[in-house]
Amino acid sequence: RRNGMIGNICSMGLALQALEISSEFYAPRKWDRAQAFSVVYSHDYKEPMAMAQVLPPLVGKSYLNAGRWGCAATNRMPPSQQLLLSPMSGTTGVPTLPLSPTTAPITVQFSITNTLKNYFHYSTSVCVPDNSTLLQVMEVAAKEKPDIFCFKTKATKLGPFVTSIHGLAGNTTERTYWQFLSCWSPLQKGVGTYKPKNWEHIQAVFSTY
């Protein structure tokens, strides 16, 4: 129902592992793995943990049986999967990226909203280099207006996680957190990897789960 996305892009790896090894529980037909795998193939993963979670299902394995899989097993894999794991001809396995030409900066609209308690709403526009991450956008906003857009993060295996904005922190007991949206749709990437487009409006909304 979400074009193959299960949860968000960071949870896809574990979800695919679970589905790959649980086929005996499906009835009356198998799940449409092709649609889910197309999401993975089209995404440029950056976080090491997300990469580690998504690699086993690409070869039909999970963490439970990945240790019993040897390199010789590639002979039993479909050609499409062998190609996915093989370096391109003429390379050493580590692709080189062309240098990006200098581009004009972009403007990103960023707002923070809390309607749960002690209501507040603030909005600003910041100018950042093209290809900047949402985390960099937030850092510029905090630098320009530290009394309003100050925030805190904590490091996780999937990248930085925003714990507090404007002095308001999420709480596991109250089941609150800061949710990030674009055009009222939840972002499928974290603040450390999502890259807003020019004049995109990013909303941080204090929410419950």
Side-chain angles (χ1 to χ4, degrees):
R1 286 183 294 181
R2 298 182 59 207
N3 297 320
M5 182 72 73
I6 306 172
N8 58 44
I9 197 64
C10 293
S11 64
M12 284 290 288
L14 292 179
L16 290 175
Q17 288 189 49
L19 291 170
E20 282 294 307
I21 64 172
S22 305
S23 57
E24 62 185 281
F25 300 108
Y26 304 148
R29 62 181 178 83
K30 294 183 178 181
W31 68 288
D32 185 6
R33 67 194 305 271
Q35 190 179 40
F37 273 71
S38 68
V39 174
V40 172
Y41 294 148
S42 63
H43 181 68
D44 183 17
Y45 281 91
K46 301 293 184 182
E47 301 298 337
M49 178 55 70
M51 295 178 188
Q53 291 176 350
V54 81
L55 282 175
L58 290 180
V59 292
K61 300 292 181 180
S62 72
Y63 281 156
L64 297 178
N65 55 17
R68 298 193 296 272
W69 178 67
C71 294
T74 55
N75 295 329
R76 300 190 300 272
M77 292 169 52
S80 60
Q81 289 186 330
Q82 292 185 31
L83 180 63
L84 177 68
L85 298 178
S86 303
M88 296 177 61
S89 176
T91 70
T92 59
V94 180
T96 57
L97 299 176
L99 295 177
S100 300
T102 303
T103 56
I106 63 173
T107 299
V108 179
Q109 295 178 295
F110 179 60
S111 63
I112 58 176
T113 304
N114 167 38
T115 59
L116 299 182
K117 55 182 179 180
N118 301 323
Y119 172 87
F120 62 77
H121 173 79
Y122 301 98
S123 185
T124 188
S125 295
V126 297
C127 187
V128 294
D130 190 18
N131 212 39
S132 294
T133 64
L134 176 53
L135 182 62
Q136 293 171 315
V137 170
M138 295 176 65
E139 289 172 343
V140 173
K143 183 177 180 180
E144 294 179 350
K145 299 178 180 180
D147 55 326
I148 296 177
F149 294 101
C150 58
F151 69 96
K152 295 181 180 179
T153 65
K154 70 175 181 180
T156 73
K157 293 180 179 179
L158 292 174
F161 177 78
V162 177
T163 58
S164 170
I165 301 178
H166 193 64
L168 180 60
N171 187 296
T172 55
T173 301
E174 298 178 353
R175 300 172 65 85
T176 55
Y177 74 112
W178 282 98
Q179 183 181 34
F180 290 87
L181 309 99
S182 175
C183 297
W184 295 106
S185 295
L187 301 185
Q188 299 301 320
K189 300 180 183 179
V191 296
T193 54
Y194 186 81
K195 297 179 179 180
K197 299 179 177 62
N198 193 30
W199 288 109
E200 184 173 359
H201 183 194
I202 301 298
Q203 304 150 290
V205 180
F206 198 58
S207 308
T208 58
Y209 60 92

